[in-house]
Amino acid sequence: MSQFQELVQARRSANKFNPNIQISEQELNEMFNLVKFAPSAFNLQHTHYVVVTDKDIKDQIYEAAYKQYKVFSSSATIIVLGDLEAYKNIGPINEGLLNLGVMDQREFDETVSSVHRMYEEGGDSFKRDEAIRNASLSAMQFMLIAKDKGWDTCPMIGFDSEQVRQAVTIPDRFVPVMMITIGKEDSGKRRPRGYRKPVAEFVTYNSF
């Protein structure tokens, strides 16, 4: 079995962490330096992370997450946001390629125009779908990277989005997609892994 296969199988959603274990900004930034290579539509990089380690703010997040112990005991709670207006950055993101001559002016202008048109014609629901879709890809990559570096994580959807928005002053253009708690798992009472469908139950070829 390859190291990557072992990593994928070892990653678990940790419901309880050993409390009072600190995680440094340096360690987190090393992870985020790899997270940035996650795929995103048109390389728009829709995802923004808010890392909460401050006790007072974390207490507010704990309340917003209905007092789930995993938030209380985590080394950090990370709020994953998707940018509803990421498409507006298509020009600045591609300026480097234009300046290097990888793109010519015509290709650059067509790319900017077509991406703006796609998102604006798609409307609010498409922008929201794209924000959530792309942030979720990034979040999964973060969790695998964290596991590779010896940290355990748990993705969470059980929280009051508006309370979280107020606690960390999230601008309106961002949608809270999920939270990820990170720390060192207290595996003393870990449950057995839940049922996983065999491949034939969730994969078909060429039609449903």
Side-chain angles (χ1 to χ4, degrees):
M1 184 181 292
S2 71
Q3 287 183 325
F4 181 71
Q5 286 175 300
E6 290 176 357
L7 176 69
V8 169
Q9 292 187 18
R11 190 213 60 78
R12 298 282 301 271
S13 293
N15 284 307
K16 187 178 181 183
F17 298 97
N18 291 313
N20 303 317
I21 293 178
Q22 294 186 337
I23 187 168
S24 68
E25 285 191 21
Q26 179 180 344
E27 286 177 283
L28 286 160
N29 285 340
E30 287 174 1
M31 297 180 210
F32 290 125
N33 260 320
L34 293 172
V35 168
K36 68 186 180 184
F37 295 107
S40 65
F42 307 105
N43 193 33
L44 291 173
Q45 303 168 62
H46 305 66
T47 317
H48 186 93
Y49 292 88
V50 179
V51 181
V52 178
T53 55
D54 178 88
K55 184 182 182 307
D56 290 339
I57 301 174
K58 197 152 167 278
D59 286 346
Q60 294 178 55
I61 300 299
Y62 173 62
E63 293 290 332
Y66 314 114
K67 298 184 177 180
Q68 294 183 64
Y69 184 71
K70 67 187 83 173
V71 174
F72 177 81
S73 60
S74 67
S75 301
T77 297
I78 301 169
I79 302 153
V80 184
L81 306 175
D83 187 357
L84 298 167
E85 300 180 11
Y87 72 97
K88 294 180 179 179
N89 295 326
I90 187 66
I93 282 173
N94 283 288
E95 278 179 358
L97 295 177
L98 175 65
N99 293 334
L100 289 170
V102 177
M103 275 185 173
D104 60 25
Q105 189 66 53
R106 180 190 58 79
E107 184 182 3
F108 175 85
D109 292 342
E110 287 180 354
T111 298
V112 171
S113 175
S114 64
V115 169
H116 273 260
R117 185 169 58 252
M118 176 183 288
Y119 279 80
E120 288 167 0
E121 290 180 356
D124 291 344
S125 61
F126 178 72
K127 293 172 189 173
R128 182 178 175 85
D129 287 348
E130 275 288 273
I132 294 171
R133 185 162 34 230
N134 287 279
S136 296
L137 285 169
S138 180
M140 186 69 247
Q141 183 141 314
F142 172 80
M143 288 185 284
L144 288 172
I145 292 165
K147 187 62 181 175
D148 187 53
K149 291 185 174 293
W151 293 92
D152 300 297
T153 57
C154 185
M156 298 176 58
I157 59 168
F159 58 91
D160 185 305
S161 293
E162 286 310 308
Q163 286 186 38
V164 169
R165 185 180 293 279
Q166 292 172 20
V168 295
T169 60
I170 299 169
D172 289 342
R173 67 180 283 177
F174 291 93
V175 56
V177 174
M178 70 181 79
M179 297 198 311
I180 299 174
T181 46
I182 184 169
K184 301 289 186 178
E185 183 183 13
D186 178 354
S187 57
K189 294 184 179 179
R190 177 196 280 179
R191 295 177 181 176
R193 187 185 285 278
Y195 170 73
R196 291 296 192 273
K197 295 178 181 179
V199 170
E201 284 191 18
F202 69 94
V203 178
T204 57
Y205 290 87
N206 300 318
S207 66
F208 188 88

